[in-house]
Amino acid sequence: MSSTQFDMMVLVLGVCGILLTASFVGQILERRLSPDGSNPAIENLNARINAWWVMAILIAIAFVAGRIGVLLLFGFCSFAALREFVTLTNTRRADHWALATAFFVVLPLQYVLLWIEDYEIFSVFIPVYAFLLMPIISAVRGDTQHFLVRIAEVQWALMICVFCASHVPALLTLHIPGYEGRNVLLIAFLVIVVQLSDVLQYIWGKMIGRTKIAPRLSPSKTVEGFVGGIACASLVGAGLWWITPFSPLQAGAMAFLITLMGFFGGLVMSAIKRDRGVKDWGHLIDGHGGLIDRLDSVVFSAPIFFHLTRYFWSPG
């Protein structure tokens, strides 16, 4: 067994241990406080834990399948997220060809560029070429009503759901001296730290949260939850330095930055939901809402994590 496989096994066992503990606590709470399923908070908690089991298993399968498995998983996530986003936009019949191009040309090509490791085109394909192509396709249909709004919404959807999300599997393309064959652990570090930050912010907020940090955007987020969640997740990130090319201090600093970006990503996506008058982006994941509700923090932190790692640890 290689050192990468051993580290991955330790990581999987750790995640399973946490989920088993959470499932046990959830079942105890259900028997005591909601034996007839009448307590929405307990029912939601157990639905979230069950959904986490499914998501953890899918990610583990993708990791075992290797590069192609990770690309397929995040390609599917981009497709599902883009579908959720587009359902809340003001698109019209004249935008159908542009949307079809976004779903069936731009999205697959972005992941093909990752497969062939063409970073130069990958980094500009959507923000330059796709952004120019989308308005051209819509313009030739001749419908000018709310044209700028419609185009901006589709471009923003591509930026969040495809461009930003694709920076997670892009971590596999980095060539870090002394870290060959271990890049999948960078993805594990990013996902675990950012998602754990979300959970810890929720727990700290429930325990001691008093001061709402953005009541109009996300009433459940508090200053106490923000500080406690990010501080704890940063410490966990520092403790996971052994699966990264970073020192413990560097891992803690990276964890702090990505959890901070994850928090602000959640706020931005909440602002869009409030603007559209919806609570969740969808209903794909029981207890969590849509796929974007679960991935918003990761997609905002992934590009920052990728570029910092590439700049400082991947020369050339």
Side-chain angles (χ1 to χ4, degrees), residues 238-260:
L240 289 173
W241 64 272
W242 50 277
I243 65 169
T244 74
F246 318 135
S247 69
L249 186 61
Q250 291 166 341
M254 289 289 261
F256 175 74
L257 284 173
I258 60 179
T259 53
L260 205 59

Side-chain angles (χ1 to χ4, degrees), residues 86-92 95 145-146 149-150 153 276:
V86 167
T87 58
L88 297 184
T89 61
N90 296 300
T91 53
R92 293 167 60 84
D95 301 315
Q145 187 171 1
H146 304 303
V149 172
R150 287 158 38 210
E153 288 176 338
R276 298 303 155 134

Side-chain angles (χ1 to χ4, degrees), residues 66-77:
R67 193 164 156 232
I68 186 64
V70 175
L71 285 174
L72 287 174
L73 174 66
F74 282 93
F76 167 77
C77 289

Side-chain angles (χ1 to χ4, degrees), residues 34 46-47 65 71-72 89 108 110 115 190 211 243 271-272 294 306:
S34 182
N46 284 326
L71 285 174
L72 287 174
T89 61
Q110 180 74 357
W115 175 255
L190 170 67
T211 313
I243 65 169
I272 297 174
R294 191 63 278 138
F306 172 85

Side-chain angles (χ1 to χ4, degrees), residues 212-270:
K212 295 189 182 301
I213 200 167
R216 295 182 61 185
L217 295 182
S218 186
S220 62
K221 293 186 187 297
T222 63
V223 174
E224 295 82 0
F226 167 75
V227 173
I230 287 188
C232 290
S234 298
L235 288 175
V236 171
L240 289 173
W241 64 272
W242 50 277
I243 65 169
T244 74
F246 318 135
S247 69
L249 186 61
Q250 291 166 341
M254 289 289 261
F256 175 74
L257 284 173
I258 60 179
T259 53
L260 205 59
M261 284 304 299
F263 172 80
F264 288 119
L267 281 187
V268 170
M269 302 311 283
S270 292

Side-chain angles (χ1 to χ4, degrees), residues 46-126:
N46 284 326
R48 283 172 176 255
I49 294 170
N50 292 336
W52 268 115
W53 273 109
V54 175
M55 288 188 284
I57 290 171
L58 287 176
I59 292 174
I61 292 173
F63 283 1
V64 169
R67 193 164 156 232
I68 186 64
V70 175
L71 285 174
L72 287 174
L73 174 66
F74 282 93
F76 167 77
C77 289
S78 283
F79 187 92
L82 187 61
R83 182 176 176 276
E84 288 178 354
F85 202 117
V86 167
T87 58
L88 297 184
T89 61
N90 296 300
T91 53
R92 293 167 60 84
R93 188 181 180 85
D95 301 315
H96 287 181
W97 282 109
L99 290 174
T101 304
F103 276 100
F104 302 112
V105 178
V106 175
L107 191 157
L109 276 178
Q110 180 74 357
Y111 282 89
V112 168
L113 291 170
L114 279 181
W115 175 255
I116 63 177
E117 298 191 14
D118 191 334
Y119 172 76
E120 282 72 21
I121 300 299
F122 163 80
S123 62
V124 298
F125 175 58
I126 287 179

